[in-house]
Amino acid sequence: MFNSFAKKSWLALGVSTFVFGLASAQAQEKVLRIAMTAADIPRTLGQPDQGFEGNRFTGIPMYDALTHWDLSKADAASVLIPGLASSWAVDAKDKTKWVFKLRSGVKFHDGSAFNADAVVWNVQKVLDKSAAHFDPSQIGVTTSRMPTLRSARKIDDVTVELTTSEPDSFLPLNLTNLFMASPAHWNAKLKAVPASVTDPAERAKQAWAAFAADASGSGPFKMARFVPRERLELVANKAYWDPARTPKLDRVVLVPMPEANARTAALLSGQVDWIEAPAPDAVAQIKQRGFSVYTNAQPHVWPWQLSFAEGSPWLDKRVRHAANLCVDREGLQKLLGGMMAIPKGTVPPGHPWWGNPKFDIKYDVAAARKLMADAGFSQGKPLKVKIQISASGSGQMQPLPMNEFVQQSLKQCYFDVDFDVIEWNTLFTNWRKGAKDPSANGANATNVSFAAMDPFFAMVRFTSSKTVPPTSNNWGYFVNKEFDDLIGAARTTFDDKGRDAALAKLHARIVEEAPFVWIAHDVGPRAMSAKVKGVVQPRSWFIDIAPMSIQ
């Protein structure tokens, strides 16, 4: 079912030597070359696209947020740590207000100062339609990840107040997705827009386009060269404010390469030093050739998210349970060379949010067939379902062979599965439009992998009536008052132990109602040259390039 690496390695040969060749002036530099799964360079203007691969490669290296994930450990879950904010606290009397204390002395790449005014400006860029720098193109990848944030107010140069629409204990976690771009640098780009362009929205659009081509954040790496669809080159920011993340590398070269066998061939031939998601059937060869393969359990779900719109075949819970019981996950794990974990839900047993659900996700064909028969389906009368999938993309693992495997696995339980295969970034955009939108193209499920490292990302955005499109990622319109009440209890609990208990109740009910077919948890496989040192593969979707070096 899975095409061999050998048959497709020739794809890499068509890649121009321009993409990989480094100028002679760079010969003595410490250069790290990375082949991503994305088909294009993630956006560089501060709010990346291309899913969380964008955050991984153009967000976290080039920018900072008020809060960061700790990516320094491989043997413990990533937790929230201070970023550009040194501390924060919710107002004891009004829990819709948070006060953040900011770091002093931080500079953007253009030399301008980071301060409370910059925070207010960056909140306005996605929330304030009257702001001169408001950018509609950045909304989808920002506000859907922090839907309760409403405004920011400067208290003094190092203190800012953020306001939410309702008490929301998840806000500091969500803010890891709001990257801080330089207001001064953007204003310089705006001034360069020709005076003949008089429409304010068009002027802002052109300024953002110019900013994206010559970006300025405050992160450990600075933009040096940008060629859309070909390469992004970053150079070290030796003046970075955090000594632990001041780069040892001189330059990082990012190359989009969506085809797994092409990435693998590029690594084996020495054209790149690091590839995301190597071809599974080439892992043994990669190791034999002396390359390192890094994996780690991570909060990452690879599912089918199901539609609950009128007429959806998934409205019958028996059908949803049957699908979850009919996936041969151990067989899929073998197909992937062991590069996946078998899920029991969104989080694993033993996790503080587990909650002991009554429905057990396992491989039980007999039980699945009985459920389907009770629902009126049989081998002669299968249930037709259509899934919108991608051919590659951030966190999508190996989507074509994986989906084909699941298609065959479900066939034995009277499912007739059809696919609508589209480009990854389009699939990700459609995810926010929802199952009722024409972009679904008749699909009643979508295959978008997702991060599960915080409560909003793991559960709330898929099961709240407040997160249906276009607000966030409740693509399937799963709406249930019981779930809204459970979410409200968790969101308004500000002590960790109480919040975990509330989230455990929510997770148990999610597994029992099964708005997903849980298929796999990713382990984030990436292969690297042995020359790359200081690699920490965290229990996270993300990874930190800054502490790495190359010999």
Side-chain angles (χ1 to χ4, degrees):
M1 184 177 299
F2 194 88
N3 291 316
S4 71
F5 159 67
K7 290 181 180 178
K8 287 193 174 180
S9 62
W10 58 269
L11 290 172
L13 300 179
V15 179
S16 167
T17 55
F18 164 78
V19 174
F20 299 104
L22 294 172
S24 57
Q26 299 176 7
Q28 301 306 311
E29 287 187 318
K30 297 177 181 177
V31 182
L32 176 64
R33 302 161 299 169
I34 304 172
M36 304 176 292
T37 67
D40 197 359
I41 301 295
R43 298 185 81 194
T44 55
L45 75 181
Q47 299 305 137
D49 61 353
Q50 301 288 348
F52 270 174
E53 190 158 31
N55 285 33
R56 186 159 59 237
F57 289 128
T58 66
I60 293 170
M62 295 171 60
Y63 293 91
D64 289 307
L66 293 178
T67 55
H68 286 177
W69 292 107
D70 182 0
L71 303 176
S72 66
K73 302 177 182 67
D75 57 355
S78 293
V79 296
L80 198 69
I81 58 174
L84 290 176
S86 57
S87 65
W88 53 89
V90 68
D91 189 301
K93 295 180 179 179
D94 182 355
K95 288 186 167 54
T96 65
K97 297 186 184 301
W98 292 78
V99 174
F100 286 77
K101 288 291 185 180
L102 309 179
R103 296 185 186 277
S104 300
V106 175
K107 299 288 187 181
F108 288 108
H109 298 154
D110 59 288
S112 63
F114 166 77
N115 51 32
D117 290 319
V119 176
V120 173
W121 188 91
N122 275 279
V123 171
Q124 290 175 331
K125 75 184 178 185
V126 292
L127 290 181
D128 186 356
K129 294 181 180 179
S130 67
H133 61 290
F134 176 72
D135 185 9
S137 76
Q138 298 188 54
I139 293 175
V141 293
T142 309
T143 57
S144 65
R145 296 171 176 173
M146 52 193 75
T148 65
L149 181 62
R150 289 295 177 267
S151 63
R153 181 178 69 88
K154 174 183 176 180
I155 295 176
D156 56 42
D157 280 349
V158 293
T159 315
V160 66
E161 179 187 79
L162 300 186
T163 300
T164 58
S165 59
E166 60 185 280
D168 186 0
S169 63
F170 309 153
L171 181 70
L173 296 157
N174 298 159
L175 289 172
T176 58
N177 298 285
L178 181 62
F179 294 106
M180 297 290 147
S182 166
H185 194 61
W186 185 89
N187 283 321
K189 300 302 182 185
L190 180 66
K191 291 177 182 178
V193 175
S196 57
V197 180
T198 57
D199 177 64
E202 180 60 26
R203 290 183 64 81
K205 182 179 179 180
Q206 291 192 23
W208 277 115
F211 185 99
D214 177 30
S216 178
S218 62
F221 291 93
K222 302 184 288 186
M223 178 185 283
R225 185 184 183 195
F226 177 40
V227 183
R229 293 195 175 275
E230 289 189 5
R231 69 194 287 138
L232 172 66
E233 295 186 20
L234 307 176
V235 295
N237 175 16
K238 295 296 186 181
Y240 188 59
W241 56 268
D242 183 357
R245 297 187 67 223
T246 300
K248 299 178 178 65
L249 296 162
D250 296 313
R251 186 177 298 263
V252 175
V253 180
L254 298 164
V255 181
M257 193 175 293
E259 211 286 318
N261 290 302
R263 289 194 300 276
T264 302
L267 179 73
L268 294 176
S269 65
Q271 294 173 316
V272 296
D273 309 298
W274 163 349
I275 63 172
E276 296 287 280
D281 57 352
V283 168
Q285 182 183 0
I286 289 171
K287 292 179 177 178
Q288 288 169 1
R289 294 276 295 275
F291 295 91
S292 301
V293 176
Y294 295 90
T295 65
N296 204 345
Q298 58 182 227
H300 170 284
V301 183
W302 197 95
W304 286 356
Q305 185 178 354
L306 309 177
S307 170
F308 290 79
E310 184 178 357
S312 171
W314 302 104
L315 291 174
D316 189 329
K317 186 162 70 172
R318 294 171 297 186
V319 169
R320 304 196 299 272
H321 280 192
N324 274 289
L325 293 171
C326 200
V327 177
D328 179 8
R329 296 171 182 85
E330 289 187 0
L332 181 60
Q333 190 177 47
K334 291 177 182 177
L335 173 74
L336 296 176
M339 300 294 179
M340 65 164 271
I342 294 175
K344 285 286 189 179
T346 297
V347 299
H351 191 284
W353 307 339
W354 170 242
N356 297 314
K358 295 176 183 177
F359 175 55
D360 184 17
I361 298 171
K362 58 184 178 180
Y363 186 44
D364 189 337
V365 174
R369 285 175 174 171
K370 184 179 185 306
L371 286 167
M372 290 296 283
D374 291 345
F377 301 100
S378 64
Q379 186 172 356
K381 184 188 174 184
L383 176 63
K384 293 183 179 295
V385 296
K386 184 176 183 180
I387 323 300
Q388 197 165 74
I389 69 173
S390 66
S392 65
S394 168
Q396 293 297 90
M397 302 175 69
Q398 307 293 337
L400 291 181
M402 289 175 72
N403 275 298
E404 289 168 357
F405 183 94
V406 175
Q407 179 187 47
Q408 292 302 311
S409 191
L410 292 183
K411 188 175 183 179
Q412 64 188 325
C413 299
Y414 318 140
F415 286 91
D416 181 2
V417 178
D418 188 24
F419 296 125
D420 178 29
V421 185
I422 60 176
E423 189 270 332
W424 156 238
N425 215 37
T426 303
L427 179 71
F428 190 79
T429 300
N430 291 356
W431 198 28
R432 295 189 297 272
K433 295 179 179 178
K436 298 179 183 179
D437 190 81
S439 65
N441 196 25
N444 44 60
T446 188
N447 172 223
V448 180
S449 62
F450 64 85
M453 68 277 202
D454 73 66
F456 179 76
F457 271 69
M459 295 182 278
V460 173
R461 57 179 171 156
F462 305 118
T463 57
S464 170
S465 63
K466 297 179 181 179
T467 57
V468 297
T471 301
S472 192
N473 298 118
N474 191 345
W475 178 89
Y477 292 85
F478 179 86
V479 176
N480 185 310
K481 184 180 183 304
E482 177 194 358
F483 282 71
D484 284 344
D485 291 343
L486 291 169
I487 290 166
R491 185 166 247 155
T492 55
T493 302
F494 287 80
D495 69 280
D496 292 343
K497 187 175 180 180
R499 185 169 58 242
D500 284 347
L503 290 166
K505 293 179 182 178
L506 175 61
H507 181 260
R509 290 294 294 124
I510 290 173
V511 173
E512 289 162 2
E513 289 301 313
F516 301 100
V517 179
W518 287 271
I519 296 169
H521 287 319
D522 197 4
V523 294
R526 46 180 56 97
M528 298 188 198
S529 165
K531 296 185 297 181
V532 184
K533 304 298 182 182
V535 179
V536 174
Q537 174 93 351
R539 294 181 184 176
S540 171
W541 192 299
F542 306 122
I543 190 168
D544 193 2
I545 302 171
M548 297 183 192
S549 61
I550 192 163
Q551 293 182 349

